[in-house]
Amino acid sequence: MKQKRSTAFPAVGSRGGSTAGGHYVPRTFWGSRLAPYAPEWASLPVGYLVPLIAHPLAVDPEVLPWVAAGMATSGVVLTGVTWAVGSERSPVARAHATITVGGVMTWLTTATIAGPWSTVLGWGYALAGVAVAASWSIRKALRKSGSEDGGGDGGFFAKIGLAGSRFDGDIRVAPNKVEATVQLPPGSTAADLEERKTTIASHAHLSDGAVRVTPDPDDVSRAQLTVVPKDMLKHSTKWPGLSSPGGSIMDPIVVGAYEDTEPLQFWLPGDPVISRNATHYAVNGMNGSGKTTSAKVAWAEIVSRRDAELVVLDPSKGSQSVGFLNRTKAKLVLGRAACKTYVKALLSDITERADRLGKWGLGQWTPEAFERHGMAYRVVWIEEATKVLEDAKTTTELVQEARSAGISVIMSQQKSTHRQMNTDVRSQLGGSWCFGVKDLEDAEFILSDEALAAGARPDRWKNRQPGCSYLEGPGIDESRYAIPARGFDVDDSDLAAALDTTGPDQIGDATMPDSDEPMDDFDIDPDDLDDDLDDEIELPAEDSEDGDLTDDGDIELPDVAELPLPTPRPSLAEARRQVAAWLTEQQATGRSLVGPKDVPDAIHGRSRPWVSVELARLAEDGTLVPTGRDGIYTYPSVAHAA
């Protein structure tokens, strides 16, 4: 099926060439460099031959009036059509094309009637023809260099309010994706381009979110512009099967596809050859966002690798989520008490594994540990992690020491707020997998600032598009952090059919949750408690000095300075009322423009991305009016006055 090329960008080809003038131009051949300028010069002899052939046929007195009238009318019509269809181009380009068509039709009409061989007409055609051809060649040269004010790069950027910007290099076109590097003029930054993402999408007739801007980490005046014309995430892709059955855990774990059809994949072990660190992951997403289905695909991938072992801890769902792994080599630990017991044993196992790796001369797990010594890489996947890892000290110790012992810990939960995951644990999680969330604030706890700034918005999905996610981690190109992806569509039966299920039955054994299982709120070892009770407590002697203490009930107590109590964060409804009231106050003072950075944090107690979403909501309600610059709004009265 032939793809329709967007007209929002100048026509440029793949790396190493361009399509200026409709021709592919390899950079290495001077002949091909001149090819785009050939059409206007080749048209000169053609323009002379046409009336030379037509004149003898039109000199008949009975035919000549009709020929003259017809050609004159055609010239007027074609000139008018050229002017009309050029309305979307710059004024210079529109006038240039119209004048060229009018001149050509005037020549054809005159030369056909009078004959092209007269001295006046001949010299006139030669001089005017060369001038017209040269003017078009000059336009093409300027368009190619990106310096033409009325077309090419310059025309495109002038339309979006960034005149002086240009595309640096060729525009790279891939299936369902267009990428280009943008060089902004002095004084402009990548943030200015990011503010115009919606404007670019409007010019290209695309949906909101189809345009992404990634700043250049080394130059604030450069950015990567990515456009994805078609939303490939509306429907999930059928699971294609295991990506590397019998392969190594060093191979990527493939769990879905990005919107540009590239595979969604991540790595767990480190690779010293390419300086990739082993890592742990945090998996977040609201209920119904598709975490479990995507996790199942990851579990199947891990189990299918010859040098990996999978341990799944699930304190709540039991066999509902891990049933297809029964009789595979995966270890299933089900029930809250069993999960806690396993975590305690794992801490001792980490020390033992690290000691063995050290004796083998390995600073970290490598495939050699399995091939020579039989130690597989272990992946411990903890569902509902907050129910299992309630003890912050244990959790911190686990994630700090596990990587060096050839163990990756995956902590899956609905969100990773500071109340549920402390800073020490968060700093040890090198990867994050974020599915749909209720509020953008929830995503801020695991997604990087760079991904959010580049346009990552998992709050747009919530749980309406299960499986949609953003993925960050070692080995993943950072430019892909803000690219949305979607997991595969797969059933448990398909996953089980692809795995070796000849192992022992693990469902119903001691790892299953007991309905009468006590839900202890504190992780206290009774033996430690007994030791504490046996310790003698030494009390002070009866006649010991009490300092300034007295039992006089009439004595006046000293004045105690009042301490300011922390103000609780307003509720969502109150925060919205406060923002609306602030906007009304600003409008009364004569302020015409407002953006997220202008709204004081104290009135809502939330992050700036939340303010961005709130202002966008108010714009949808008609309280504010978009200005065409991303994140900047005005008031309806101001917009109507303009």
Side-chain angles (χ1 to χ4, degrees):
M1 181 176 177
K2 187 175 180 180
Q3 292 184 345
K4 181 179 179 181
R5 185 176 65 84
S6 172
T7 58
F9 299 95
V12 231
S14 58
R15 190 174 186 177
S18 69
T19 56
H23 299 273
Y24 176 73
V25 186
R27 294 181 178 275
T28 54
F29 300 100
W30 66 267
S32 296
R33 285 174 174 264
L34 297 177
Y37 309 102
E40 53 263 35
W41 296 100
S43 64
L44 290 178
V46 174
Y48 189 82
L49 288 174
V50 170
L52 187 66
I53 297 173
H55 175 70
L57 303 176
V59 294
D60 187 336
E62 295 182 358
V63 176
L64 185 59
W66 296 101
V67 172
M71 295 191 69
T73 303
S74 299
V76 173
V77 171
L78 288 178
T79 304
V81 169
T82 304
W83 176 261
V85 298
S87 60
E88 295 185 357
R89 302 300 300 273
S90 68
V92 175
R94 187 182 191 186
H96 192 190
T98 303
I99 292 172
T100 300
V101 172
V104 169
M105 293 306 299
T106 299
W107 157 255
L108 291 176
T109 303
T110 304
T112 299
I113 296 173
W117 47 75
S118 70
T119 303
V120 175
L121 287 179
W123 276 105
Y125 178 74
L127 295 175
V130 169
V132 171
S135 69
W136 281 100
S137 294
I138 291 172
R139 283 182 60 82
K140 288 182 179 179
L142 291 176
R143 183 184 300 116
K144 185 177 180 182
S145 66
S147 59
E148 182 189 25
D149 293 334
D153 298 1
F156 167 68
F157 287 111
K159 290 180 180 179
I160 65 171
L162 285 176
S165 302
R166 61 182 176 84
F167 290 116
D168 189 3
D170 296 330
I171 293 178
R172 298 169 294 282
V173 181
N176 198 44
K177 183 173 69 171
V178 181
E179 292 181 307
T181 302
V182 178
Q183 178 64 61
L184 294 127
S188 298
T189 67
D192 298 317
L193 181 61
E194 187 174 347
E195 289 180 354
R196 290 162 173 81
K197 290 186 297 184
T198 303
T199 305
I200 296 172
S202 175
H203 279 286
H205 302 288
L206 299 174
S207 62
D208 185 24
V211 179
R212 290 191 301 273
V213 175
T214 306
D216 188 321
D218 301 321
D219 187 348
V220 295
S221 67
R222 290 167 60 88
Q224 180 85 4
L225 180 64
T226 304
V227 178
V228 180
K230 183 180 179 182
D231 183 5
M232 301 296 292
L233 305 181
K234 288 184 177 180
H235 306 286
S236 56
T237 306
K238 195 68 178 177
W239 183 56
L242 298 170
S243 64
S244 182
S248 173
I249 190 63
M250 298 293 287
D251 298 329
I253 307 297
V254 181
V255 291
Y258 288 102
E259 65 179 5
D260 59 3
T261 71
E262 290 294 317
L264 177 68
Q265 56 191 16
F266 63 93
W267 290 260
L268 293 172
D271 188 345
V273 176
I274 59 175
S275 301
R276 187 185 71 231
N277 293 323
T279 193
H280 308 305
Y281 268 86
V283 183
N284 282 185
M286 65 184 300
N287 189 26
S289 62
K291 296 193 307 297
T292 301
T293 300
S294 293
K296 290 179 179 180
V297 175
W299 297 342
E301 286 275 296
I302 296 167
V303 170
S304 70
R305 307 300 170 86
R306 66 179 185 275
D307 52 2
E309 57 185 29
L310 173 68
V311 183
V312 180
L313 281 66
D314 194 330
S316 302
K317 296 181 181 179
S319 60
Q320 182 182 24
S321 59
V322 299
F324 79 98
L325 290 174
N326 189 32
R327 298 187 181 278
T328 68
K329 67 177 184 179
K331 178 176 178 60
L332 308 180
V333 183
L334 309 179
R336 191 171 182 179
C339 290
K340 289 187 175 183
T341 300
Y342 177 84
V343 170
K344 289 181 180 179
L346 180 60
L347 293 174
S348 300
D349 197 17
I350 288 174
T351 303
E352 190 271 337
R353 284 173 63 98
D355 183 61
R356 289 167 59 193
L357 288 171
K359 291 179 180 179
W360 299 335
L362 299 176
Q364 62 176 307
W365 185 93
T366 64
E368 179 185 353
F370 176 77
E371 295 166 0
R372 296 186 58 182
H373 307 287
M375 179 187 286
Y377 193 85
R378 183 179 301 177
V379 181
V380 179
W381 196 296
I382 308 177
E383 291 287 292
E384 303 292 342
T386 52
K387 295 182 179 180
V388 178
L389 304 174
E390 294 176 337
D391 180 12
K393 180 180 178 182
T394 300
T395 307
T396 303
E397 183 180 353
L398 174 64
V399 296
Q400 284 180 340
E401 300 178 2
R403 288 191 304 119
S404 62
I407 299 175
S408 283
V409 179
I410 316 296
M411 301 171 61
S412 179
Q413 53 198 18
Q414 291 193 19
K415 54 185 177 181
S416 298
T417 62
H418 292 294
R419 183 174 59 85
Q420 295 170 313
M421 181 182 293
N422 64 38
T423 304
D424 292 336
V425 174
R426 196 185 309 277
S427 65
Q428 296 295 323
L429 303 179
S432 57
W433 195 2
C434 186
F435 291 79
V437 294
K438 185 176 181 180
D439 298 307
L440 188 57
E441 290 178 294
D442 297 336
E444 292 176 343
F445 290 109
I446 62 169
L447 289 181
S448 64
D449 293 339
E450 292 77 13
L452 293 170
R457 290 289 303 274
D459 59 307
R460 289 176 175 166
W461 302 318
K462 292 182 171 55
N463 56 5
R464 294 190 292 267
Q465 286 186 262
C468 289
S469 64
Y470 294 98
L471 183 62
E472 301 183 25
I476 303 174
D477 189 346
E478 292 185 6
S479 64
R480 293 201 160 268
Y481 286 179
I483 300 180
R486 190 164 190 174
F488 294 122
D489 179 16
V490 63
D491 296 327
D492 286 6
S493 58
D494 296 328
L495 294 171
L499 300 174
D500 179 5
T501 55
T502 58
D505 182 6
Q506 298 188 68
I507 304 298
D509 64 8
T511 64
M512 281 293 291
D514 188 346
S515 58
D516 298 326
E517 170 190 332
M519 294 299 181
D520 53 320
D521 292 329
F522 302 94
D523 192 5
I524 300 177
D525 191 332
D527 295 334
D528 295 339
L529 185 60
D530 291 339
D531 293 340
D532 293 337
L533 294 177
D534 291 338
D535 294 339
E536 294 184 359
I537 301 176
E538 185 176 346
L539 299 176
E542 293 183 1
D543 58 349
S544 61
E545 295 291 336
D546 292 332
D548 295 332
L549 297 179
T550 176
D551 58 359
D552 186 356
D554 297 329
I555 190 171
E556 294 184 4
L557 296 176
D559 293 334
V560 179
E562 293 186 2
L563 297 177
L565 297 177
T567 304
R569 189 176 76 163
S571 65
L572 178 60
E574 179 62 23
R576 286 177 170 173
R577 283 194 296 269
Q578 295 278 16
V579 171
W582 182 85
L583 290 172
T584 302
E585 293 175 359
Q586 297 302 306
Q587 184 180 14
T589 62
R591 187 170 194 160
S592 59
L593 298 176
V594 63
K597 66 180 181 180
D598 302 320
V599 183
D601 295 341
I603 68 172
H604 53 75
R606 285 164 169 78
S607 63
R608 185 170 295 178
W610 179 87
V611 181
S612 299
V613 175
E614 178 62 15
L615 294 182
R617 187 186 68 83
L618 292 173
E620 292 178 358
D621 293 344
T623 305
L624 297 174
V625 177
T627 62
R629 298 172 57 192
D630 273 9
I632 306 299
Y633 302 89
T634 187
Y635 298 96
S637 58
V638 177
H640 293 158

